[in-house]
Amino acid sequence: MTRRERLRELDLLRFTAAMAVVLYHFTGFGGAGAWPSPSQEVFPEIAPVTRFGYLGVDLFFVISGFVILMSAWGRGPGEFGISRLVRLMPAYWVSVLLGAAVYAVFRMGHGVPGLVVPNLTMLQGGLGLRNVDAVYWTLWVELHFYVLAAVLAGVGITYRSCLIFMAAWLLGGVFADEADNKLLQVMLVPTWSCYFIAGMALYMIHRFGPTLLLWGYVAASYLVALRWGSWRAEHVFRGADETVVSAVITGIFAVMILVATGRLSRLRWRGLTVLGALTYPLYLVHSQLALPLLDAVYPGLNRWTALAVVVGTSLLAAYAVHRLVERPGAKWMRARLTASLAPMRPSEETSTFVARGDWRGRGGSGLGGGEPRDRAPVDAART
């Protein structure tokens, strides 16, 4: 399959989303954190803006829908699962162990031994256990999406199957809420699914070109996102202005539409790839690092200098995790996990049988079966 340049505009958006969350925690959060007082009280000058940085998560989820469908296209569930494990787990394990170290040495955070082991599985959200780092809640939401995407990969990812999948997920979530069905609510995460569905539809627009139906998925997801964004502003992030939240969500959808339609394709600076690589480890380590670091430097340093120190240290730590853990760890894991799937691969005889055309896979054109023609080569960026 022909490869094309990495979508560096997505790297920039990833990094922007991560920095929004970092600044929210360090300057806009209203609860207990790494500072002696709530961070929005330490930085009253910028808190009215950075208090909305939590919406960086909303942007993350739209990007995730886009890149996960891009990553899964043409793969079976095994290969897709491997791609997710090698992408997520090495940096995540470092983050959990960092939390354990911060607790063991400084008695800060939640890295108690009884939580560290279940947190290493990334399944603690389903087990009813506390996260070592509060940011892990988003990974549990992502994991729901990955399971659904793996099911889609098992069925076979085609234009038609994606349309059916997105409609079933969107409507199923609405029906689950209407029926107050706890099982379906847990499986379909209806409060967040609109972002993933929008990202998937935008990737299909990027790959195949726009159609009224795909824009319909984006529009429906956007309206549902506005509803849940307003609900969170009222019930979770209390005091957040619903008008501002709606404007930010509108901006998220607008910028992702620009990505899908190629309007940001001129962003080709190679440094954006580095920023994109820092995003995940930065998201994972910044909160844990800040606990002992701010305790050591503040109030000895003024608040702005202390903020610069903690943000700079978080970026350096993220780079170290990427270079020293993520890259070699992913290589090591990929080789061994791929080898573990070898017994599942078809025999040479079966492969020859398929290659000769004696078996017909499912496919077809557009809604009737096979694939519409790609508008551009598939983006092969690592996700």
Side-chain angles (χ1 to χ4, degrees):
M1 188 173 289
T2 305
R3 298 183 62 166
R4 55 157 290 179
E5 286 189 55
R6 183 184 182 99
L7 290 177
R8 291 195 173 94
E9 55 268 43
L10 286 180
D11 289 320
L12 176 59
L13 291 177
R14 282 189 183 112
F15 185 75
T16 300
M19 285 303 300
V21 173
V22 168
L23 291 176
Y24 167 69
H25 288 151
F26 290 164
T27 68
F29 185 52
W35 300 92
S37 303
S39 61
Q40 64 179 215
E41 296 179 11
V42 179
F43 295 94
E45 303 90 341
I46 60 175
V49 175
T50 58
R51 67 181 300 180
F52 295 99
Y54 72 87
L55 292 165
V57 171
D58 301 51
L59 176 55
F60 270 134
F61 287 161
V62 182
I63 295 172
S64 183
F66 191 105
V67 300
I68 295 307
L69 183 57
M70 178 171 64
S71 172
W73 207 287
R75 289 175 167 172
E79 190 180 2
F80 170 72
I82 288 173
S83 74
R84 292 299 88 206
L85 286 172
V86 302
R87 177 71 180 97
L88 294 182
M89 298 311 291
Y92 175 75
W93 286 330
V94 168
S95 174
V96 175
L97 295 177
L98 174 63
V102 167
Y103 181 83
V105 176
F106 303 102
R107 286 296 185 268
M108 294 178 171
H110 307 292
V112 297
L115 288 179
V116 168
V117 172
N119 267 251
L120 288 171
T121 68
M122 205 183 279
L123 300 177
Q124 68 275 7
L127 298 173
L129 297 174
R130 187 170 192 169
N131 291 311
V132 167
D133 191 322
V135 302
Y136 297 166
W137 74 266
T138 63
L139 302 181
W140 184 237
V141 174
E142 288 266 357
L143 191 59
H144 286 69
F145 175 40
Y146 297 161
V147 170
L148 294 174
V151 172
L152 177 61
V155 172
I157 299 180
T158 66
Y159 192 95
R160 178 177 182 269
S161 67
C162 286
L163 293 179
I164 295 172
F165 174 86
M166 291 187 295
W169 192 8
L170 184 63
L171 293 174
V174 173
F175 295 160
D177 274 338
E178 181 184 17
D180 197 23
N181 187 300
K182 183 66 174 177
L183 176 61
L184 288 179
Q185 287 173 342
V186 169
M187 292 177 61
L188 301 178
V189 285
T191 58
W192 296 107
S193 61
C194 52
Y195 292 111
F196 297 112
I197 294 166
M200 293 175 67
L202 288 167
Y203 171 67
M204 294 176 70
I205 288 171
H206 170 73
R207 176 167 179 155
F208 299 109
T211 68
L212 181 60
L213 184 56
L214 290 176
W215 285 127
Y217 280 105
V218 175
S221 299
Y222 166 67
L223 295 175
V224 174
L226 289 179
R227 181 266 184 272
W228 285 115
S230 296
W231 181 88
R232 277 186 284 274
E234 181 179 353
H235 295 92
V236 181
F237 301 93
R238 294 178 180 174
D241 188 296
E242 293 183 22
T243 302
V244 176
V245 169
S246 297
V248 174
I249 291 173
T250 300
I252 288 171
F253 274 76
V255 75
M256 287 301 298
I257 287 171
L258 294 178
V259 172
T261 55
R263 300 296 196 279
L264 300 181
S265 59
R266 292 185 180 180
L267 294 174
R268 285 290 171 259
W269 178 48
R270 291 183 177 275
L272 296 178
T273 302
V274 177
L275 296 182
L278 295 182
T279 297
Y280 182 53
L282 174 64
Y283 181 78
L284 290 176
V285 305
H286 73 276
S287 293
Q288 295 292 336
L289 281 178
L291 291 171
L293 186 57
L294 284 177
D295 188 60
V297 304
Y298 180 80
L301 298 177
N302 71 66
R303 59 198 172 114
W304 295 103
T305 304
L307 176 64
V309 168
V310 73
V311 171
T313 302
S314 297
L315 288 168
L316 289 173
Y319 184 75
V321 170
H322 172 63
R323 290 300 300 268
L324 302 178
V325 178
E326 278 194 304
R327 290 173 65 173
K331 183 178 179 180
W332 185 89
M333 286 183 65
R334 187 182 298 276
R336 285 154 182 79
L337 289 173
T338 300
S340 71
L341 293 183
M344 297 172 57
R345 296 192 183 98
S347 65
E348 182 177 345
E349 180 180 348
T350 303
S351 299
T352 302
F353 179 69
V354 173
R356 287 175 177 171
D358 297 323
W359 175 87
R360 295 291 182 267
R362 284 170 290 182
S365 166
L367 288 174
E371 299 298 274
R373 190 167 179 167
D374 285 3
R375 184 172 63 174
V378 176
D379 189 296
R382 184 174 67 89
T383 58

